[in-house]
Amino acid sequence: MTALGVVFRPQFPPERLREVARAADEAGLEELWLWEDCFLESGIASAAAALAWTQRLRVGVGLLPVPLRNVALTAMEAATLHRMFPGRFVLGVGHGVQDWMAQVGARADSPMTLLREHLAALRALLRGERVTTDGRYVKLDGVALDWPPAEAPPVLAGASGPRSLRLSGEAADGTILDASVTPDGVRRARRLIDEGRREGGRTGHHTVVGYLHAATGPDAVARLKAELERWDDASTLELRAAGNADAIAEAVQRLADAGADTVVLQPTADEPDLEGFVRFIAEEVRPLVPQDASSGRGEVSGS
């Protein structure tokens, strides 16, 4: 099935998260996503709070920048959330913004090597394995979690360029694409991910999460145009989601048809009613997006 979500952007103050998460949960929205952007809000702290405030909402972090985090800490935090809220937490990791990593003295000379090592160790730790590794960046000596998840959870990776997309296919369980990716970009990403999966001998379904700029209301087109200019996104408005429920559902379906399993609606920075936005997506857009249970969409396989 095609899952729908909304991202609570860290440009919104953290004290607003409670009401937005509760509105999403009450309206039946499937997923709420969070970002760990420097130097705004913590992904793990926000995810823990959102999970505690809700009953069935899935909460994704897309993504944690691996240069900021020792892999053992990432595994400990992820395992804790998976055990406390089974089936409701989705973890994504990635390179991070290199300028931000440089600001905190954490920039890696080879982000690809770091991400590969981090993914391998993180997935092994979450499987309950005892890990010893002496990589370029990741070094563990007989480390194992005392409280691993009951079942090995999927780990997603943020990716954009060809090398990162192939790496995600090879070493991660799913891929997160940013809002600049068009339907054609999703198709290209799928091909590159599949190349990596073949190289790594991976089987099972590999979930692709795609973000989509979205705005509704009488000033939707103007706000979305300004948002794309802020992101320096040259995409046409026709490839984004502006307008009523039908228009947004059509934009969602274009990404789904291209290969996105989960589409996360990304509101504009000046969205005047976040709670209303998540209710609108859950109650008016969701019924217009077909759910094909036979496609395997909305599920992540760790195989």
Side-chain angles (χ1 to χ4, degrees), residues 1-282:
M1 61 177 289
T2 303
L4 279 189
V6 170
V7 58
F8 179 89
R9 297 171 55 172
Q11 288 79 14
F12 302 126
E15 58 269 23
R16 295 200 61 189
L17 177 59
R18 178 193 288 230
E19 294 309 315
V20 173
R22 286 181 169 173
D25 199 45
E26 292 167 2
L29 186 70
E30 291 125 291
E31 300 184 3
L32 183 70
W33 282 75
L34 306 163
W35 297 342
E36 185 166 88
D37 275 3
C38 297
F39 301 93
L40 296 165
E41 294 167 18
S42 159
I44 292 295
S46 298
L51 288 163
W53 288 326
T54 57
Q55 297 297 316
R56 41 132 245 108
L57 185 70
R58 282 166 57 88
V59 176
V61 175
L63 45 81
L64 299 180
V66 299
L68 281 177
R69 294 178 165 274
N70 183 286
V71 69
L73 177 61
T74 305
M76 290 163 58
E77 291 180 324
T80 299
L81 291 179
H82 280 294
R83 290 185 68 105
M84 293 172 70
F85 307 99
R88 294 181 53 210
F89 177 57
V90 183
L91 174 64
V93 299
H95 300 302
V97 177
Q98 296 307 295
D99 287 347
W100 290 342
M101 299 303 101
Q103 278 185 273
V104 297
R107 183 168 185 166
D109 291 334
S110 178
M112 288 286 292
T113 301
L114 170 55
L115 183 57
R116 180 184 297 277
E117 293 179 358
H118 196 103
L119 282 167
L122 177 59
R123 293 180 67 241
L125 289 168
L126 291 175
R127 289 193 298 266
E129 299 176 14
R130 185 170 299 277
V131 181
T132 295
T133 183
D134 186 21
R136 180 174 176 182
Y137 297 103
V138 176
K139 301 179 186 294
L140 299 174
D141 183 7
V143 175
L145 298 177
D146 283 8
W147 296 103
E151 295 183 6
V155 177
L156 282 61
S160 56
R163 293 177 63 213
S164 293
L165 288 164
R166 292 189 187 97
L167 173 60
S168 183
E170 178 184 348
D173 303 306
T175 301
I176 302 169
L177 307 174
D178 67 34
S180 69
V181 179
T182 64
D184 283 343
V186 173
R187 294 185 183 93
R188 287 192 295 271
R190 273 285 186 192
R191 290 194 291 269
L192 291 163
I193 290 165
D194 287 343
E195 290 177 13
R197 285 165 54 74
R198 288 191 292 271
E199 180 69 22
R202 303 297 300 278
T203 59
H205 185 70
H206 182 102
T207 286
V208 170
V209 177
Y211 285 92
L212 179 63
H213 290 291
T216 189
D219 57 349
V221 172
R223 287 195 294 112
L224 191 54
K225 183 177 179 181
E227 182 76 9
L228 293 177
E229 290 173 353
R230 281 193 290 270
W231 285 82
D232 195 24
D233 189 335
S235 302
T236 63
L237 283 173
E238 286 73 18
L239 295 174
R240 302 306 172 196
N244 60 18
D246 287 326
I248 293 178
E250 288 175 10
V252 168
Q253 194 60 49
R254 285 194 291 269
L255 283 186
D257 290 343
D261 301 288
T262 296
V263 177
V264 181
L265 284 301
Q266 181 173 317
T268 61
D270 59 355
E271 169 56 52
D273 181 8
L274 281 172
E275 293 86 348
F277 183 80
V278 299
R279 292 190 187 97
F280 167 77
I281 298 302

